[in-house]
Amino acid sequence: MTSVGFGVAAVAVALVVWWRVPWLRSWPPALGLLIATFTVVPPHQIIVLGVGADDALFVLGLGMLLPYALRSRVGVGSAAGRLPYVWPLAIGAGLLVAGTTISAFVNADGLPDTAALLLRGPIRLLLYVVMVVVIVAQLPRERTRTVVARGLAAVGTFEAAFGVLAYTIGLPGGFGLQAAQGNTSLVGEIPGRVTGTLGLSPNFLGALLVLSIPVTLGIALDAATRWHTYVRSLLSRLLGRTATTVNTGAGGWGQLGWALAVVVQTWALVLTYTRSSLAVTLLACAVLVALRGRLRWLAVGAVVLVALLFLTPTFDRIIHDRTDRLALYTSAVRVFLDYPIAGVGPGEQARFTAAAPELYRATPYGVAGNNAHNTVLLAAAENGVLGLLGALVLNLALVAVAVAVIRRARAMSRSANSLRTEPLAIGVAMLAFLLQGMANNLFTVTLTASALVMLLGGCALPWLDRTADEDVAGAGSLASRDLAKMAGNPET
């Protein structure tokens, strides 16, 4: 199967990267983090009981990380228990697990169907919770943040490059594209909408890029700052003044590489023709650049975006194509009102409404041809009132975490008189993803949900742990030195 082949290739690439980069090889948990981050690469193809190669990669990464978490000096329970917002997150996840469990047993027909619904619902959710806790327990936290952030940026860039290649050159069988269909101005105008290797709707690639583009932009802005520091140091030395930094100049290549990664990902995002993802990502990048105070980047980004919009039919789609979201929301509300206790089963709303189109698909706003495309309404329709409450609490808790990450990054920058963009990007990316979740169903498959799980457990929550440095006092300086070499830091 194509999915299995991509899964094996993803593991092989992770192994090669881990082995070839000395600082990664010296820290064994890095391999498990890379494999889990590469979960989005295999196409989403069901192998058995709703489980695909993407799930297998996620479980493999978790299994490789678990021994290091159990041997951690902090301990799994202690690492999770002392983090901020742990109780709201736990309550939201607990309500969702309870709702999906009840829904699975109530709506299943026989033992195999029960097993499939349990795997699709509570077991998948518990897997995400365990992964967050296990990642948080990895030490040193600085290395975890670096591996996960750059891993997500690299995966987003790979998927974007693959999609652009499929769109501009074409691949056998139209792989990497979804044909434009339905009542849209794109029919007959484009080769297809970019999907990357995901094998799903372009909405899912759009959701991945909603996370990866701000993170990549944050890394690029930090690389630009380091490069400017190097140039000032070089000029100072040439003018005979005392230089404060010595460097080989590798940061310039890093800045160029990350900047190009942002452009490629933005290009692919435009080619998904997913309006909500494009709008949310643009807003996120504008906020990030404004927080960073790099308005020149905003001007350059605006020029690139306008060029991409007018070189493709994206602008026509924005102007002329109607959206079906109000119809989808109305359908989900109807399902919830008719089945408020247990819903219609995890992952079952689309199939359920298709069986009774006159009741649930015909709406005053048009035909609802799919599921809710909203994380809260979808949880309500499929899992009842507990699913609704769990999704609400969890989304609000994640918003609180993202805002706290941004606030702490700004507070630390004021105290240190320097601003790191990457932590700001982590918080902004989380907010963008959650906002995108109000217009798409992002948690129904491991491909997209895993990206948020990795960002939450590997970057956001560790950044908020104010005691992390105390736990790694002996390893912190070594980690900083290795990370500086890996990133091409001109100040090292």
Side-chain angles (χ1 to χ4, degrees), residues 21 28 45 147 179-180 190 213 236 242 269 274 278 281 284 286 315 325 428:
V21 179
Q45 296 173 347
V147 172
I190 60 172
I213 289 177
S236 178
T242 303
L269 180 60
T274 305
L278 182 59
T281 304
F315 193 72
R325 293 306 186 261
V428 169

Side-chain angles (χ1 to χ4, degrees), residues 114-133:
T114 301
L117 291 182
L118 287 173
L119 282 170
R120 195 184 302 158
I123 293 177
R124 189 185 300 274
L125 288 169
L126 288 172
L127 187 66
Y128 297 155
V129 172
V130 172
M131 178 62 93
V132 170
V133 174

Side-chain angles (χ1 to χ4, degrees), residues 87-149:
W87 283 111
L89 290 170
I91 291 171
L95 288 170
L96 269 176
V97 168
T100 53
T101 301
I102 294 172
S103 181
F105 281 108
V106 169
N107 292 288
D109 295 323
L111 187 59
D113 195 31
T114 301
L117 291 182
L118 287 173
L119 282 170
R120 195 184 302 158
I123 293 177
R124 189 185 300 274
L125 288 169
L126 288 172
L127 187 66
Y128 297 155
V129 172
V130 172
M131 178 62 93
V132 170
V133 174
V134 167
I135 294 176
V136 165
Q138 305 300 316
L139 296 176
R141 301 278 170 75
E142 187 179 4
R143 289 193 175 191
T144 303
R145 290 195 298 266
T146 299
V147 172
V148 172

Side-chain angles (χ1 to χ4, degrees), residues 5-39:
F6 271 91
V8 172
V11 173
V13 170
L15 184 59
V16 170
V17 170
W18 176 78
W19 183 257
R20 297 283 294 178
V21 179
W23 82 268
L24 288 175
R25 190 170 67 247
S26 67
W27 188 53
L31 180 57
L33 288 171
L34 288 174
I35 290 176
T37 304
F38 289 178
T39 293

Side-chain angles (χ1 to χ4, degrees), residues 201 203 275-276 322-336 349-350 353 359-379 381 438-441:
S201 162
N203 293 344
R275 291 167 291 185
S276 58
R322 292 182 58 188
T323 178
D324 62 352
R325 293 306 186 261
L326 287 177
L328 298 177
Y329 300 160
T330 301
S331 174
V333 170
R334 287 178 180 175
V335 173
F336 172 68
Q349 190 210 338
T353 57
L359 292 177
Y360 299 112
R361 292 205 162 184
T363 77
Y365 309 102
V367 177
N370 210 318
N371 60 21
H373 278 53
N374 177 290
T375 53
V376 176
L377 292 178
L378 184 63
M438 298 301 102
N440 280 298
N441 49 310

Side-chain angles (χ1 to χ4, degrees), residues 52-378:
D54 51 329
D55 300 292
L57 240 63
F58 195 72
V59 173
L60 176 61
L62 175 60
M64 297 179 70
L65 290 169
L66 187 58
Y68 302 107
L70 295 176
R71 295 199 300 265
S72 170
R73 284 172 289 175
V74 182
V76 174
S78 175
R82 71 187 186 187
L83 292 171
Y85 305 104
V86 66
W87 283 111
L89 290 170
I91 291 171
L95 288 170
L96 269 176
V97 168
T100 53
T101 301
I102 294 172
S103 181
F105 281 108
V106 169
N107 292 288
D109 295 323
L111 187 59
D113 195 31
T114 301
L117 291 182
L118 287 173
L119 282 170
R120 195 184 302 158
I123 293 177
R124 189 185 300 274
L125 288 169
L126 288 172
L127 187 66
Y128 297 155
V129 172
V130 172
M131 178 62 93
V132 170
V133 174
V134 167
I135 294 176
V136 165
Q138 305 300 316
L139 296 176
R141 301 278 170 75
E142 187 179 4
R143 289 193 175 191
T144 303
R145 290 195 298 266
T146 299
V147 172
V148 172
R150 281 149 184 78
L152 287 173
V155 166
T157 304
F158 167 77
E159 291 293 340
F162 189 94
V164 169
L165 181 67
Y167 189 93
T168 55
I169 298 177
L171 296 174
F175 188 66
L177 299 176
Q178 182 188 80
Q181 52 192 341
N183 187 23
T184 172
S185 60
L186 299 177
V187 174
E189 297 294 327
I190 60 172
R193 298 173 64 192
V194 166
T195 63
T197 67
L198 275 59
L200 290 168
S201 162
N203 293 344
F204 288 92
L205 177 58
L208 172 64
L209 296 176
V210 165
L211 271 182
S212 65
I213 289 177
V215 171
T216 310
L217 179 59
I219 298 171
L221 287 169
D222 282 342
T225 300
R226 292 192 296 267
W227 175 244
H228 293 157
T229 301
Y230 165 70
V231 170
R232 288 194 298 269
S233 172
L234 182 61
L235 289 175
S236 178
R237 295 178 66 189
L238 291 175
L239 294 174
R241 299 173 184 172
T242 303
T244 57
T245 59
V246 178
N247 190 270
T248 62
W253 293 107
Q255 177 192 0
L256 178 62
W258 290 119
L260 288 176
V262 173
V263 172
V264 171
Q265 290 181 65
T266 305
W267 187 4
L269 180 60
V270 171
L271 297 181
T272 65
Y273 297 98
T274 305
R275 291 167 291 185
S276 58
S277 296
L278 182 59
V280 169
T281 304
L282 294 180
L283 177 61
C285 291
V287 169
L288 180 60
V289 172
L291 288 172
R292 186 62 177 84
R294 302 300 292 270
L295 298 183
R296 285 177 298 177
W297 280 66
L298 196 59
V300 172
V303 172
V304 172
L305 176 65
V306 169
L308 291 174
L309 288 178
F310 282 95
L311 288 173
T312 65
T314 304
F315 193 72
D316 287 340
R317 173 166 165 76
I318 294 173
I319 297 298
H320 298 113
D321 286 8
R322 292 182 58 188
T323 178
D324 62 352
R325 293 306 186 261
L326 287 177
L328 298 177
Y329 300 160
T330 301
S331 174
V333 170
R334 287 178 180 175
V335 173
F336 172 68
L337 292 177
D338 286 348
Y339 299 88
I341 304 301
V344 296
E348 293 295 307
Q349 190 210 338
R351 187 168 66 177
F352 178 84
T353 57
E358 68 284 352
L359 292 177
Y360 299 112
R361 292 205 162 184
T363 77
Y365 309 102
V367 177
N370 210 318
N371 60 21
H373 278 53
N374 177 290
T375 53
V376 176
L377 292 178
L378 184 63

